[in-house]
Amino acid sequence: MSLSPLDDFPIHQAPQVMRHVATSDRNFYDRYYFNCHPGTDELMLIVGLGQYPNLGVTDAFACARRTNLHRVVRASRELGSDRMDTTVGPFRIEVIEGLKRLRVILEPNEHGLAFDLTWTGTIPATLEPRHFVRWQERVVFDSVRLAQTGRWSGTIVVGDDEIPVDGWQGTRDRSWGIRPVGEPEPPGIQVKNPGTFYWLYAPMQFDDHAILCIIQEDHKGRRVLEEAVRVWSDGREEEYLGRPGYHPVYAPGTRDVVEATITFDKIEVRCTPILPVHLMVGTGYGLEPDWKHGMYQGGEPVVQGVTYTLPEDAGRMWGMVDAVGRFEYDGQVGHGLFEYWALGPHPSFT
């Protein structure tokens, strides 16, 4: 064991130095996620930065969808001993005021995407239900996450264009715990997994409140995880909305959602994805065999850029979709994240 600057703070949770987590599970992670958009189909920026203490790696990515352009910058380095150091190549995250204001930076680089943005939460950061999945004796997910809607200020540079950001919307989350990361493991008995991931995540921002909704179901339609709360900007307590229902409409012959309805006990929200971003393309969430979150990229820091255009590269665009969403209920119109994936068998497809 060796000390790090974090050990000087009274925050220990286990008889370990702070750079070591309390579990030896290789899949432990600790991650930031942000998205930023003007509530239109012009541009969506997604940013993530994670640490993987038991793999000794930290990495980051930024993905911008602008008209027909899908541009990614990603970076990785060895984690080292100081977990307070959130720089990864040209990326950096600064916590200005915990749970309220953060600064997210991608310094100018050769890959045509950069930004300097400040986040201000519009609702209190809200702890979501614990996500726990055991499959074939192995704990696959055991994590917690906070969610928050907010506003952005600063600038984004895409190619030669510098775009001012003033009051743009977005959502963020912070999650930590266990989920599959890093290099693939031998599947063993997990080969029996039917490979289903039926998922909806929809944090919605309205004028004076937000609705946070999660639905995950298994291959038999059983609920694995759900959330349905309304959180007010003035800090009032969460209001449970009842069991959420999800009714998507797919483009013919696909699992691409063109519209959806989310129902709660007393309200019904109409959802329209207006700018889809394929989160898993280039970012490390799972498609590229040579770049996954937590994957060791070697002893020297690595920075890469990946750019695709649509419709030419449409064949690459599959997997989890993070879309700018338009949400309407009871005469109110809001925007937020409409994140969905329908992979594998599910009763709705029989």
Side-chain angles (χ1 to χ4, degrees):
M1 292 194 296
S2 60
L3 295 169
S4 71
L6 203 52
D7 287 300
D8 244 350
F9 293 88
I11 54 176
H12 293 81
Q13 301 293 313
Q16 299 273 10
V17 295
M18 284 301 298
R19 60 179 293 202
H20 295 155
V21 294
T23 175
S24 62
D25 193 312
R26 70 182 296 279
N27 288 333
F28 187 89
Y29 77 104
D30 205 337
R31 181 180 298 152
Y32 294 90
Y33 166 96
F34 303 89
N35 62 63
C36 172
H37 57 83
T40 70
D41 62 358
E42 298 169 60
L43 185 150
M44 187 180 194
L45 175 70
I46 301 173
V47 184
L49 186 150
Q51 295 184 352
Y52 311 90
N54 293 336
L55 299 178
V57 171
T58 180
D59 53 30
F61 75 89
C63 175
R65 170 76 192 274
R66 189 185 188 203
T67 60
N68 67 337
L69 181 75
H70 179 102
R71 178 166 290 174
V72 175
V73 179
R74 59 197 188 192
S76 175
R77 67 169 172 85
E78 293 184 355
L79 178 58
S81 62
D82 186 1
R83 293 190 60 197
M84 293 289 282
D85 181 3
T86 61
T87 60
V88 186
F91 290 90
R92 183 169 81 255
I93 293 177
E94 301 173 0
V95 178
I96 300 171
E97 184 179 358
L99 304 182
K100 294 182 180 180
R101 297 183 68 228
L102 296 91
R103 187 181 177 201
V104 184
I105 299 167
L106 173 57
E107 299 285 358
N109 57 81
E110 63 180 315
H111 302 296
L113 177 62
F115 46 81
D116 188 339
L117 297 167
T118 298
W119 164 273
T120 303
T122 53
I123 62 168
T126 302
L127 190 64
E128 296 176 345
R130 188 167 181 170
H131 191 184
F132 184 90
V133 177
R134 185 189 298 274
W135 183 264
Q136 298 290 356
E137 313 310 324
R138 175 73 182 271
V139 175
V140 181
F141 286 87
D142 187 6
S143 61
V144 295
R145 182 167 66 179
L146 65 83
Q148 190 174 42
T149 58
R151 295 281 182 176
W152 290 100
S153 62
T155 57
I156 300 173
V157 177
V158 182
D160 296 326
D161 296 334
E162 181 172 312
I163 304 164
V165 173
D166 184 10
W168 284 24
Q169 301 180 50
T171 64
R172 77 173 184 111
D173 66 61
R174 280 277 293 113
S175 63
W176 57 95
I178 295 167
R179 64 183 296 174
V181 296
E183 293 80 358
E185 297 180 74
I189 199 171
Q190 295 296 317
V191 74
K192 294 183 178 181
N193 192 321
T196 294
F197 199 74
Y198 189 80
W199 172 262
L200 170 73
Y201 180 51
M204 321 166 196
Q205 182 172 349
F206 298 92
D207 286 343
D208 62 354
H209 68 281
I211 293 176
L212 308 177
C213 176
I214 303 171
I215 296 173
Q216 183 183 355
E217 295 180 348
D218 69 9
H219 62 292
K220 294 184 178 180
R222 297 172 298 197
R223 286 286 164 92
V224 175
L225 179 69
E226 70 175 42
E227 173 76 306
V229 298
R230 184 156 43 192
V231 185
W232 300 92
S233 301
D234 61 10
R236 275 181 284 163
E237 292 292 324
E238 304 170 2
E239 176 186 340
Y240 180 61
L241 298 175
R243 180 180 173 86
Y246 175 45
H247 312 282
V249 176
Y250 298 102
T254 77
R255 294 187 182 182
D256 298 328
V257 177
V258 294
E259 62 180 53
T261 302
I262 302 174
T263 57
F264 304 98
D265 283 350
K266 296 181 180 179
I267 65 175
E268 180 176 289
V269 181
R270 180 184 175 190
C271 317
T272 307
I274 57 179
L275 181 64
V277 182
H278 284 81
L279 177 65
M280 298 172 68
V281 180
T283 62
Y285 272 94
L287 293 185
E288 290 81 10
D290 60 341
W291 193 282
K292 299 178 184 292
H293 292 159
M295 179 178 283
Y296 183 56
Q297 299 294 335
E300 297 298 321
V302 176
V303 181
Q304 297 180 353
V306 181
T307 299
Y308 300 113
T309 56
L310 296 167
E312 291 84 354
D313 294 314
R316 298 176 179 268
M317 302 294 162
W318 72 280
M320 183 84 76
V321 173
D322 276 23
V324 177
R326 175 185 170 94
F327 301 97
E328 304 170 71
Y329 84 99
D330 293 350
Q332 303 181 79
V333 177
H335 294 86
L337 174 65
F338 186 82
E339 179 182 84
Y340 70 91
W341 195 12
L343 173 70
H346 187 268
S348 63
F349 300 122
T350 58

